[in-house]
Amino acid sequence: MRNDRSSHCTIALQELVVSGCLEKCIFSLNFNLDSDIAGVINLRCVNAAKISLVLLQTLARFDEESIGAQSTSLNLDNIFVKLSNSPVATSELDDVACDNGCEDGDPVEVVEDAEPLNFNADPFESENDAPLDFLSAFLDVNISQDCSDNNSTNTALDSSQNSHSADQTSLLGYESFDVRRGEESFPTDKDIFDNINDESEFEINWAILGMEVRACGHSSATKSLETSTSIFLDNVRKIQHVGYLIYQIFSPPENQTLPSIFKMCLVSEEESGTDNGCTNETDSGQRYSKLPRCSEKSLFTDLIEVGQYPISICRMLSDMIDIGIDGMADSPFKALEDVIDDLKQMSYHPWLYLDDPTDEGFLSSLRFGLGCYGRTKQVSTILGVTSNLEGDKGGETPQCPDCVEVIFVSGIAGSGKSFLIQSVGSYLEREGWIVLGAKFEMGLQHESGDVVSSVFHRLLSKLVSMRDSGIEGDIKYSREATESIVDALDEDSLLSLANLIPSIHELINISGAKCVDSGAADLDKGNSHWRLVILLSSLLGAILSLGRKIMIYYDDMQWSDSTMLSLICEVAISMSRLPHARSRFLLVGMYRDNEITNSHPFTAQHDGLQGNKNINITSINLTSLSRDGVTDMMMTEMRLPRRLIVDFSSIVHKKTSGHALFVVQLLNSLVRDSFVIYSPTKCRYDWDYDELNELQTWDSVASLIASNISTLTPESVQSLRVLSCLGMQTHESTVHLLGGCSDKLVNGIVPSLPILIDAGILESSETMVKFSHDLIRARVYSEIADNERCKIHMCIGLFFGSKTTLDTRVQDNFAKASMLDHGNNENDGESVALPHTLVSMATDHINNASELVEDPMHRTRFAGWNLCVATDSERNSNFQAALNYCQHGIAFLGSKVWTHDTRQLCYGLYKGIAFALLAIGEAEQVPPYATAIIDNVPFKESLEAQLLLIRSLQSAGSKNEETLATALALLRKLGFDMPSTPKLYLSYFFSRVWDIAPSIVRQSMSKTDKIASEHDLDQLITRGLETVDKSKRDVLSILGSSILAGTRMLSPYIPLIVCETVCYSLEHDCVCEETALSFCYFGYLKLWLDVDPKEGRRWAMMSLKMLETSKHQSPLIRKHLLIS
């Protein structure tokens, strides 16, 4: 449009169609002009669909009962379109002018009591103007109309061209519908489109504001069309005539002639012998039936052969025109409202309902369950949370939220929780988010640690991928993230995390240093859980300090162990304390609400988060899909309008009760069993309603799954059973490895994979093969007989075990004092096992078949396997898994525990349990296992168990006296001189010193000074803290625990224990955390007892230097040093 012209114009629809602008302009129901044409092949058809939609919205208001016998000519010449390219009309809404908040694609109800348009009343009476009341009721908005007379109507039109109501347009999308009267002249702006080919001066973007119809008793317009037709009382003829109007709108300018097929379908008044006195619809139909049909060829077929129109348009035109008694339409329209619904779908989603499908797979392999349907409200809720994080508040400056956002999605199995979050996650990834997720599995609670660590492993792997991507922005982000991580975590922390997150080595160059054994650094395992919380929080917080947002989701949280549930929630709470993290972190948890009870660990963690003022929880519960949701799914996947789907979807919804997985499984089974097939004649998917109604009804999705599996070949069923024993998902390398592991799998599993994937039972990615839903896996697994299931597990376990060195490791380690030693263990030349290796997989399968193992030798053998895997799990900080394997190992031994042949094996298993329990915070369960070791092994071999017992008592908090008494008794057994009944004179340690027979304290300090003078302390300090001999380290750990226990209860034994610790370290040339602690305390004694500040400072500084030069530091030791 030229700059000197008005931003509004009015043009006859005929002139608009023949101008050629539909091929070059972008017409919209509002000014969001790009969102509705992206990826559309045929721009003209999209524009034609929108114009037709507005036209049909106008014509739908005619009251059929009040039309009467007299017809009124209606053609493109007396229909006028009002357009605008004014920014004033810009709307924030998408093309949803007639959307009343229903689910996307839902039909919009037409208001029954809206005042109709009367074509047969006096055209000069003002009451005949098209009222807007129906729009007010329809859209629940207030709309006024000022057209009391002829002049006022023209005035309203003229004024609207200069001052359009932005509010009205933003709500309606188009401004008004009106019927013009009589013979008055009607000015148009046809010349605006005369320069359509001059793109430099022509405006390409137009918004459709409304339409106006010039209604009169006879046609006074110049007819440019080949035929003249009328609207009759007959509903069939009305739909036919409107169909012809739509045909003209969709037809190119050079093809506006009426094809011969139309002449067989459309009949004028003269040809049918109609007189104006006929008002009976039955009579009209009888007259229509007397006209012979000259061809057996349908209008749909003729239009398809023309090749100028999309299939959906050919279908719609045929179903509007080729109707009546002799009509050959596939599904004739019954009302204009159905046509409106078709046009809405074409206008709003042209790439689905307007363009012909170009994907060959659409015609050969229809598949349901690939999209998220019926969850508009839930998606909007989640995106609302993410918008808050992004500070999307209408242009306001983004502000840091006051709390961390947590979303919990609940629902029964198969309700679509996973698919919903994955769909939203895919969208957020396209928006620049980093999205990471993991899934807990039923019966594998001991692998919960692997599930949680896998999220952080993928996070760092993603940073590695960004670094190597060649994309400047990603490279910069990866570099900054790496620097932030290094700044936040020292080398010891990184080395500790490297056992849990192997990808740290790929991101940060720490490969030159030896990884720290999780248990080697210190035995203060009561703090391992919290240490892990701190390390993971520091890692995540460092990455969140940069610009990108991170969403982490955990699926099936009802199957996680309590320790990992606590860790997940504690990390979220840690993020809530970091302002920069609150605005960039979103945690999502999914769980089955029917499996969560008040006593479930999840309930306590959920309630804890809910009571935290720094956590904002959004709860979403997924119920069954509505009938409209099922309809939307079928419409989208089959690319068909609602009218063709609604009856079919009602049957599906009734048979499945809207259960999401049930719906998907049923639809896919109908396609697979050829109840739904592609019809080349109809150019769409087709079905038989009689067959659908007679279809067997299953009582649950599990029954349907079982029915589908029963149709598979025996080889495929056996492969499926083996895969179900492997778990929810399996690495492809494992699947290939299984070939030939059993006589029943001579050809392996791989040949059956395509069949199982096509059946929708399995899904395949680049590296994994997994069940499409855990309900399917559970059903397959439960259908295997117990004995048969155990045999499969045993076969797989032995096969995997034969590919490892498990038996060799067991034999080698039987000769050792313990397989869980925490000294200088080189792992016998074997690298630390990663989660889900063949070693752990073989052991898991053997454990699942334990009831088949009766031979005592084999039971001892498999107990050794469990100890090997427990060792690997502990080194990877997966203490829950270590606990599980050790417990299985003891179960295999049964009555053979602590026999001569199994003593060392029992020692490792019992100590592994005590160690793991202490690590996961279950200290109260440690004493029975530690005591069993103490009672069954020599004293010198029981020191580590003695220490575990002391630490378990120490972790209890309220057992300080018992802890110290146990420690002192042990020190006396080790030869340390500890008075049994000290005399307590003063009771305030560190403010004034009490006496334990002052001469004893003085003598002990003098002895310590003498020994210290015989050693080069500076050289000792520069060596830093180092790993020492196991037996010496155990003694020092016991001394250190005694100091800490004594400090908590202000014990008078502290000076003596401190002096003994310093002397033992110097005499045995040992430097460890306990050495640094004792040096600090000894300096304190020098300061307060000898009143020698200089000497006290010297000893304290030596302690700090030991820590500074150390790569391995105990958080608990450091805490006490700082307090001191």
Side-chain angles (χ1 to χ4, degrees):
M1 180 183 292
R2 296 182 182 91
N3 294 331
D4 57 345
R5 290 190 178 273
S6 169
S7 60
H8 292 175
C9 71
T10 302
I11 185 172
L13 186 53
Q14 170 67 17
E15 296 168 349
L16 185 68
V17 169
V18 300
S19 69
C21 64
L22 297 188
E23 291 88 348
K24 297 186 177 182
C25 298
I26 300 175
F27 289 86
S28 176
L29 300 181
N30 61 29
F31 270 85
N32 286 341
L33 300 170
D34 297 327
S35 61
D36 51 4
I37 63 169
V40 175
I41 298 175
N42 194 327
L43 179 60
R44 175 183 178 83
C45 286
V46 178
N47 290 330
K50 293 178 180 179
I51 292 173
S52 299
L53 173 59
V54 178
L55 172 62
L56 265 290
Q57 289 280 18
T58 304
L59 300 181
R61 304 316 306 165
F62 292 134
D63 184 357
E64 298 174 0
E65 295 181 359
S66 62
I67 291 179
Q70 185 168 349
S71 64
T72 301
S73 295
L74 183 67
N75 52 55
L76 300 191
D77 280 329
N78 59 7
I79 302 172
F80 298 89
V81 186
K82 189 171 183 180
L83 305 170
S84 173
N85 70 330
S86 171
V88 177
T90 301
S91 169
E92 294 297 329
L93 302 174
D94 289 332
D95 287 353
V96 287
C98 295
D99 191 350
N100 64 348
C102 300
E103 292 278 333
D104 187 16
D106 288 353
V108 183
E109 296 182 1
V110 176
V111 181
E112 299 293 343
D113 57 354
E115 182 180 349
L117 299 180
N118 188 348
F119 265 24
N120 296 297
D122 187 347
F124 294 98
E125 293 187 12
S126 60
E127 290 79 8
N128 297 325
D129 286 342
L132 296 183
D133 297 348
F134 76 95
L135 281 178
S136 298
F138 183 70
L139 297 170
D140 194 24
V141 295
N142 293 322
I143 306 173
S144 61
Q145 180 184 21
D146 182 15
C147 50
S148 58
D149 54 45
N150 189 29
N151 295 330
S152 65
T153 304
N154 285 320
T155 303
L157 173 62
D158 295 337
S159 62
S160 67
Q161 293 178 344
N162 299 314
S163 58
H164 177 68
S165 171
D167 292 338
Q168 181 172 306
T169 302
S170 66
L171 290 171
L172 298 182
Y174 37 85
E175 191 173 79
S176 65
F177 302 136
D178 192 15
V179 175
R180 308 291 297 181
R181 353 174 159 67
E183 302 294 332
E184 64 190 70
S185 61
F186 192 86
T188 65
D189 301 293
K190 176 183 177 183
D191 59 322
I192 290 180
F193 293 91
D194 290 342
N195 60 341
I196 182 69
N197 295 316
D198 187 358
E199 297 184 3
S200 62
E201 295 189 8
F202 188 77
E203 178 60 54
I204 195 171
N205 295 328
W206 293 90
I208 307 172
L209 300 182
M211 284 193 182
E212 298 170 339
V213 179
R214 183 181 184 187
C216 58
H218 62 279
S219 175
S220 61
T222 302
K223 298 182 181 180
S224 60
L225 303 179
E226 186 175 307
T227 184
S228 171
T229 56
S230 303
I231 290 184
F232 290 83
L233 174 65
D234 183 356
N235 186 58
V236 171
R237 300 301 175 86
K238 180 193 297 186
I239 294 176
Q240 283 183 320
H241 183 74
V242 174
Y244 178 48
L245 295 178
I246 294 177
Y247 163 77
Q248 296 175 73
I249 296 173
F250 273 93
S251 297
E254 65 277 5
N255 188 29
Q256 287 287 314
T257 57
L258 185 67
S260 58
I261 189 69
F262 277 87
K263 296 180 179 179
M264 292 184 288
C265 299
L266 291 172
V267 184
S268 66
E269 297 177 30
E270 292 79 7
E271 291 171 328
S272 62
T274 303
D275 56 36
N276 293 337
C278 178
T279 60
N280 186 283
E281 185 174 352
T282 303
D283 294 341
S284 176
Q286 292 174 348
R287 287 192 303 275
Y288 178 84
S289 64
K290 296 176 182 178
L291 298 173
R293 190 178 183 98
C294 301
S295 172
E296 296 182 358
K297 195 175 185 180
S298 69
L299 175 59
F300 177 75
T301 303
D302 190 74
L303 291 173
I304 289 292
E305 292 177 354
V306 170
Q308 292 184 342
Y309 311 96
I311 294 174
S312 58
I313 298 303
C314 296
R315 181 181 298 114
M316 182 179 69
L317 292 174
S318 175
D319 290 348
M320 294 182 72
I321 299 172
D322 197 359
I323 59 178
I325 297 176
D326 294 329
M328 299 180 66
D330 178 21
S331 300
F333 283 100
K334 298 178 180 179
L336 291 180
E337 285 76 9
D338 295 330
V339 184
I340 291 174
D341 193 67
D342 274 26
L343 290 170
K344 281 182 183 178
Q345 299 304 323
M346 295 178 189
S347 299
Y348 303 157
H349 311 290
W351 54 91
L352 282 176
Y353 302 106
L354 190 58
D355 289 341
D356 292 339
T358 57
D359 182 9
E360 295 182 0
F362 171 77
L363 305 180
S364 60
S365 179
L366 177 62
R367 186 77 177 275
F368 293 92
L370 303 180
C372 188
Y373 304 99
R375 304 301 187 194
T376 303
K377 180 179 179 181
Q378 292 81 3
V379 171
S380 299
T381 299
I382 298 172
L383 295 182
V385 172
T386 62
S387 296
N388 291 337
L389 290 178
E390 294 170 353
D392 186 9
K393 299 178 180 180
E396 295 181 6
T397 302
Q399 298 177 353
C400 291
D402 296 329
C403 50
V404 158
E405 294 288 349
V406 177
I407 299 175
F408 283 117
V409 182
S410 62
I412 63 173
S415 57
K417 302 181 294 295
S418 304
F419 200 91
L420 170 66
I421 298 303
Q422 290 168 6
S423 299
V424 174
S426 298
Y427 167 78
L428 293 177
E429 279 188 312
R430 294 192 295 271
E431 295 296 311
W433 284 55
I434 296 175
V435 179
L436 307 154
K439 177 183 177 66
F440 298 100
E441 289 195 39
M442 180 174 58
L444 298 177
Q445 281 84 353
H446 65 279
E447 294 183 358
S448 298
D450 295 337
V451 173
V452 174
S453 64
S454 68
V455 170
F456 292 90
H457 173 71
R458 284 196 288 271
L459 174 58
L460 296 190
S461 296
K462 189 171 187 66
L463 294 178
V464 174
S465 300
M466 289 181 175
R467 181 192 65 193
D468 303 333
S469 66
I471 302 174
E472 184 177 351
D474 287 349
I475 295 174
K476 180 181 178 182
Y477 178 81
S478 178
R479 183 181 66 252
E480 292 175 348
T482 303
E483 294 171 353
S484 182
I485 293 172
V486 172
D487 290 341
L489 297 167
D490 57 24
E491 187 175 358
D492 175 55
S493 299
L494 290 172
L495 288 170
S496 296
L497 280 176
N499 291 314
L500 188 70
I501 310 171
S503 52
I504 285 181
H505 289 293
E506 301 176 37
L507 185 68
I508 302 172
N509 185 20
I510 56 173
S511 57
K514 181 182 176 182
C515 286
V516 183
D517 268 353
S518 299
D522 66 274
L523 285 177
D524 188 21
K525 290 304 164 186
N527 293 283
S528 293
H529 172 75
W530 295 107
R531 174 173 167 79
L532 191 57
V533 169
I534 293 171
L535 293 178
L536 292 179
S537 298
S538 299
L539 175 66
L540 184 58
I543 299 175
L544 287 170
S545 65
L546 307 176
R548 299 201 184 188
K549 295 174 176 59
I550 297 177
M551 168 180 149
I552 294 178
Y553 64 86
Y554 294 100
D555 197 0
D556 284 325
M557 295 185 75
Q558 74 277 357
W559 292 331
S560 173
D561 70 74
S562 58
T563 305
M564 288 301 105
L565 286 174
S566 172
L567 185 143
I568 292 170
C569 295
E570 290 298 336
V571 170
I573 293 173
S574 297
M575 295 303 99
S576 71
R577 301 188 182 103
L578 303 175
H580 65 267
R582 291 198 296 262
S583 61
R584 297 169 185 161
F585 178 61
L586 173 62
L587 174 64
V588 179
M590 292 163 275
Y591 65 94
R592 297 181 182 178
D593 50 1
N594 60 325
E595 297 185 23
I596 297 292
T597 61
N598 292 334
S599 60
H600 195 285
F602 177 83
T603 303
Q605 296 299 330
H606 179 276
D607 293 345
L609 287 179
Q610 203 162 34
N612 192 310
K613 64 180 181 180
N614 295 322
I615 301 292
N616 182 47
I617 294 181
T618 301
S619 297
I620 298 174
N621 180 256
L622 294 189
T623 57
S624 298
L625 291 174
S626 65
R627 187 173 65 179
D628 288 338
V630 176
T631 303
D632 287 343
M633 177 191 299
M634 298 173 65
M635 287 172 58
T636 303
E637 299 300 339
M638 290 194 280
R639 299 189 179 187
L640 291 175
R642 185 180 309 276
R643 60 189 175 88
L644 298 181
I645 292 295
V646 66
D647 292 337
F648 188 1
S649 66
S650 296
I651 296 173
V652 173
H653 187 268
K654 181 179 179 181
K655 290 181 178 294
T656 62
S657 298
H659 185 278
L661 180 61
F662 202 169
V663 169
V664 171
Q665 289 292 314
L666 176 58
L667 288 172
N668 285 331
S669 69
L670 293 177
V671 174
R672 182 175 58 254
D673 297 337
S674 298
F675 285 96
V676 177
I677 58 174
Y678 187 81
S679 169
T681 303
K682 296 182 179 181
C683 297
R684 67 170 178 89
Y685 281 96
D686 197 15
W687 49 88
D688 188 310
Y689 280 109
D690 292 335
E691 291 182 353
L692 292 176
N693 286 316
E694 295 174 0
L695 191 66
Q696 173 188 356
T697 301
W698 295 273
D699 58 354
S700 67
V701 64
S703 301
L704 174 58
I705 293 170
S707 175
N708 292 338
I709 293 173
S710 66
T711 62
L712 299 173
T713 63
E715 294 79 7
S716 297
V717 171
Q718 185 62 23
S719 296
L720 196 59
R721 289 178 173 178
V722 173
L723 287 172
S724 73
C725 291
L726 291 172
M728 181 65 187
Q729 59 182 9
T730 309
H731 200 280
E732 283 190 349
S733 60
T734 304
V735 175
H736 286 278
L737 183 64
L738 280 172
C741 77
S742 169
D743 293 339
K744 296 181 180 180
L745 290 176
V746 177
N747 298 321
I749 295 176
V750 176
S752 299
L753 289 181
I755 299 173
L756 298 174
I757 292 172
D758 289 342
I761 299 174
L762 298 181
E763 296 176 354
S764 177
S765 63
E766 295 181 357
T767 59
M768 304 297 292
V769 175
K770 65 178 182 179
F771 284 86
S772 54
H773 197 278
D774 47 31
L775 277 181
I776 299 177
R777 185 257 172 183
R779 181 68 183 194
V780 174
Y781 191 73
S782 65
E783 288 293 315
I784 309 174
D786 292 344
N787 189 61
E788 179 67 18
R789 188 188 308 126
C790 288
K791 289 181 179 179
I792 295 175
H793 280 300
M794 178 61 71
C795 178
I796 297 174
L798 292 174
F799 181 76
F800 284 166
S802 68
K803 305 295 182 181
T804 69
T805 59
L806 272 171
D807 288 325
T808 303
R809 291 178 64 187
V810 171
Q811 294 173 4
D812 290 346
N813 282 287
F814 265 140
K816 295 185 177 181
S818 170
M819 295 175 65
L820 287 174
D821 287 349
H822 305 300
N824 295 322
N825 193 341
E826 299 298 332
N827 297 325
D828 304 315
E830 183 169 328
S831 62
V832 175
L834 297 178
H836 305 299
T837 59
L838 282 181
V839 173
S840 61
M841 291 171 62
T843 307
D844 284 334
H845 285 287
I846 293 298
N847 292 341
N848 287 327
S850 59
E851 59 188 65
L852 295 181
V853 184
E854 298 180 354
D855 190 325
M857 291 184 61
H858 285 306
R859 296 188 73 86
T860 302
R861 172 195 181 194
F862 295 141
W865 283 25
N866 276 280
L867 184 53
C868 288
V869 183
T871 306
D872 296 337
S873 299
E874 183 210 302
R875 290 196 181 104
N876 292 321
S877 300
N878 192 348
F879 302 107
Q880 191 72 44
L883 174 63
N884 170 77
Y885 289 118
C886 286
Q887 289 173 332
H888 274 290
I890 292 177
F892 268 114
L893 292 178
S895 61
K896 289 190 64 177
V897 293
W898 299 115
T899 64
H900 176 75
D901 296 337
T902 63
R903 179 174 287 109
Q904 295 303 328
L905 182 57
C906 287
Y907 175 77
L909 292 170
Y910 274 77
K911 190 177 66 174
I913 291 178
F915 200 84
L917 287 171
L918 196 58
I920 63 176
E922 301 291 342
E924 67 279 0
Q925 300 182 38
V926 172
Y929 296 96
T931 302
I933 298 173
I934 295 170
D935 293 342
N936 287 281
V937 301
F939 174 73
K940 289 186 178 180
E941 296 179 15
S942 70
L943 290 182
E944 194 169 358
Q946 302 272 12
L947 180 59
L948 289 169
L949 179 60
I950 293 172
R951 290 291 172 84
S952 67
L953 296 173
Q954 191 176 12
S955 298
S958 61
K959 298 183 178 182
N960 291 321
E961 291 186 7
E962 184 180 353
T963 302
L964 184 59
T966 304
L968 290 173
L970 182 58
L971 290 175
R972 293 187 186 103
K973 281 188 177 182
L974 291 170
F976 294 100
D977 186 14
M978 296 289 162
S980 56
T981 55
K983 294 181 180 180
L984 182 60
Y985 295 105
L986 299 172
S987 59
Y988 300 101
F989 186 57
F990 291 156
S991 60
R992 296 183 67 184
V993 179
W994 63 84
D995 275 330
I996 303 177
S999 59
I1000 297 178
V1001 177
R1002 294 288 184 183
Q1003 182 181 352
S1004 182
M1005 292 184 66
S1006 297
K1007 174 187 173 183
T1008 304
D1009 285 332
K1010 183 177 182 299
I1011 294 175
S1013 65
E1014 297 172 356
H1015 291 77
D1016 187 351
L1017 297 183
D1018 291 335
Q1019 183 181 1
L1020 187 71
I1021 293 170
T1022 55
R1023 283 173 22 205
L1025 306 185
E1026 57 185 27
T1027 304
V1028 300
D1029 177 76
K1030 177 185 178 301
S1031 60
K1032 297 175 183 177
R1033 175 60 188 273
D1034 288 344
V1035 174
L1036 284 170
S1037 296
I1038 293 170
L1039 287 166
S1041 295
S1042 302
I1043 295 174
L1044 298 179
T1047 302
R1048 288 175 177 174
M1049 58 179 296
L1050 301 179
S1051 171
Y1053 283 101
I1054 292 179
L1056 297 181
I1057 301 174
V1058 167
C1059 291
E1060 293 292 351
T1061 306
V1062 174
C1063 292
Y1064 189 89
S1065 297
L1066 297 176
E1067 289 174 343
H1068 294 84
D1069 200 25
C1070 300
V1071 181
C1072 59
E1073 290 94 334
E1074 289 78 11
T1075 305
L1077 180 65
S1078 64
F1079 272 41
C1080 178
Y1081 274 60
F1082 189 73
Y1084 202 92
L1085 292 175
K1086 283 289 186 180
L1087 177 64
W1088 291 103
L1089 189 60
D1090 289 350
V1091 193
D1092 189 348
K1094 181 178 179 180
E1095 191 68 6
R1097 177 179 175 80
R1098 185 173 75 91
W1099 282 90
M1101 293 305 297
M1102 286 190 291
S1103 173
L1104 292 176
K1105 287 182 179 179
M1106 285 184 188
L1107 292 177
E1108 290 174 358
T1109 56
S1110 169
K1111 294 180 180 179
H1112 317 314
Q1113 302 172 12
S1114 164
L1116 187 59
I1117 296 292
R1118 173 174 283 274
K1119 179 182 73 174
H1120 279 273
L1121 287 174
L1122 291 174
I1123 293 174
S1124 302

